[in-house]
Amino acid sequence: MKARLAPALFLGLPTAFLVALFVLPLLSMLVLSVWRTESYHIIREFNLGNYHVLATEGAYMTFLVRSLVMASVVSLICTALAWPIAYAIILYGGRYRLLLTLGFAVPFLTGEVLRIIALQGLLGPIGLLNGVLMALGAAPLRVIMYTNVASAIGLVYLYLPIVVTVIYLSLLNFDQRLIDAAKIFGASPARAFIEVTWPLNLFGTLIGFALCFIPCLSATLAPRFLGGPNGTLYGMAMAQQFGESGTWALGAAMGVVLFAVSVLLVVIVARLVDLRRTGFTGFGRG
Amino acid sequence: MTHSKCSPFDTAVPSATSINRRTVLKTLAAGAATAIAAPYIRPASAAPAQLRALMWEVYAVPEIVGAFEEKHKIKFSPTFFDGNSEAYNKLRVGGTKDFDLVQADGFWPGLYFREKLIRAIDYGKIPNTANVYPVFKPERYKLLTDEANGQHFGVTWCWGSYGTTYNTAGMPKEKVQSIEALFDPAFSGRLATSARFEENIALAGILVATRMGTKDKPRPDGKSFNPYVLTDEELAEVEKLLIQQKPLLLTRYQDNTTLQQLLESGAIVAAPEFAQVYRVLTQKKEKGEIDLDFAHQLVPKEGGLGWVDTWLVTSGVTDPAMLDICHDFMNTFLAPENIKKISLVAGSSATIDLRAISTPEEQKLFLMDRTEELASMYMFDQPSSPEKWERVWSRMQAA
């Protein structure tokens, strides 16, 4: 009895949770996306007009492409920065490893809005950076004031801690003796890294990349507060539909498209990468 | 001695029939249901415990709200919104049951009333409404009175325009008298506008209709020109104009603090706003905290946008006791000493005549002698087609 109850409980509760809070809202989005809005009223008539608008109005495609580029760049930067940071913590952190890693979580103790607004102040016209420049008699750096560069800086600031933590955990569980073995067999430190450390931590790296890439794809706050007139990204445009413009059905269709794009990207990565050779142990020993 | 139906021993002796698993489950279920429902159930005679308001954050002045809570032994629970359409969306999806009071401006109260989201109110129970300037009295300000039955459904408390605040050293006065100034390449990179899509399009619409000569000609709807009801041709021109404006803008500000920083630092020289930032900057100048000099163009020569903020009572308020509290809250809000505090905190001009309790500087700063100019402004309104306006805005953002 107990043997049957435990798996039912442990798998049943998360399943119920996912169905109630993920599948059902997603389905309601799907339904809303095939209705339409007219002057803030939802007209419950099946039609694919919203998808037609998304396919034919170049603006929405522009937002999506901008978001894909932004998410890719930010995720690459985060990964490139996170690796040496996580590796340094593992190698030199000693008994402060945990403390150093937790240090990266400190920004999460404040809200995302607060962090972005603080960054807006830092990068803005009377922020720390431009304030110092102007005090020194130099011109303010316009490239960090309300531009896509400013958005990218904001997104890196928001998601770098996540990527560092994921890669750190991957390295923590990595058997360091394999590097020693590689070195004993004559591999240089660089070769040991390229042929042992990197591939065996690729799965953790991919998870870190994905945990940065997916939220960047739907980022709203960073482009809104930092992006400037040319910084509208897909997530921001989508949020607009549910806010002031009241075109909820179009927003729902944008959400469905975003979900489909995200799933497609994950599938592509999963097909391109052989998970068995990336340090992923979820397949068991068989 | 007769036996009672239940002897003292009965309760002490466990009985398989008196308590079983089903009884326990039923009792637990009833208890849980009562516990969950308790906060929502109160006797009909009980006084309301909470006043829920859907409002702009800046007007929730703790001192005034606290005194009202103390007076009525009630909790004031505000929920904040950014724009009318957001509040409208909230009310339409069941918000009339979640809120007792709501704020709105321009034509929005009329829309709310037509859609039965708000209810009629009694000015007789809000005696401070007698102190509003003539231009806000129901005889002249008709947007809060139902045309069909003459019922009133809102009270005004502050007003303003979407005029242009500018740095007098950076932009000549004669330039800023026209909306053209906000589209002038001479100020490239030194302009900003708000992120509100309705007002950006409507303001550009006034300029476009002026340029096209369609503003004073007969309109397709037979009414006089309203920048929130633009023809497709005018909208197409608005889109072009907004795209041309993009490279001239440093940003579209999201909040007044950002705008203040932009103006104060000299990063921009002009931006349309509700005069709130202008008042903050003017006061800082008077205190010697900044050197730059700022002015505010209330209404451009082509015509400008105006707004009057109002308090409304949602249709969810049916309890007479709650309605009385709503009336008293609005009356408290409109009391001259209170509305002056709110004005100073929010940087907004009051609809109540406060000249008797204001200094000459305050009278000038809060435009107390210029309320009549409201009559020449186009009131904030609902876009004739939010769908078409959204496309215009998206295409501009993507360009």
Side-chain angles (χ1 to χ4, degrees), chain B residues 14-30:
Chain B
S15 162
T17 53
S18 60
I19 299 175
N20 57 24
R21 195 176 61 170
R22 187 171 290 178
T23 312
V24 171
L25 285 175
K26 274 182 183 173
T27 311
L28 284 174

Side-chain angles (χ1 to χ4, degrees), chain B residues 121-135:
Chain B
I121 55 173
D122 184 357
Y123 281 177
K125 292 185 174 173
I126 313 169
N128 283 325
T129 51
N131 301 326
V132 299
Y133 285 98
V135 73

Side-chain angles (χ1 to χ4, degrees), chain B residues 28-39 41:
Chain B
L28 284 174
T34 310
I36 291 167
I41 298 169

Side-chain angles (χ1 to χ4, degrees), chain B residues 186-203:
Chain B
F187 305 105
S188 179
R190 291 183 294 149
L191 298 169
T193 69
S194 80
R196 297 165 65 104
F197 92 113
E198 298 112 316
E199 278 61 65
N200 272 296
I201 294 178
L203 196 64

Side-chain angles (χ1 to χ4, degrees), chain B residues 238-288:
Chain B
V238 165
E239 186 181 318
K240 284 183 203 164
L241 192 60
L242 290 174
I243 290 171
Q244 287 166 15
Q245 188 195 35
K246 265 181 85 176
L248 312 182
L249 299 176
L250 179 59
T251 188
R252 294 188 194 280
Y253 64 89
Q254 301 283 338
D255 52 85
N256 281 349
T257 310
T258 302
L259 177 60
Q260 186 190 321
Q261 288 180 354
L262 292 172
L263 284 164
E264 209 176 310
S265 64
I268 60 166
V269 293
E273 58 118 0
F274 304 138
Q276 291 163 322
V277 170
Y278 159 68
R279 290 184 184 117
V280 172
L281 293 170
T282 302
Q283 285 166 333
K284 286 185 96 168
K285 168 82 177 175
E286 283 168 3
K287 288 178 192 166

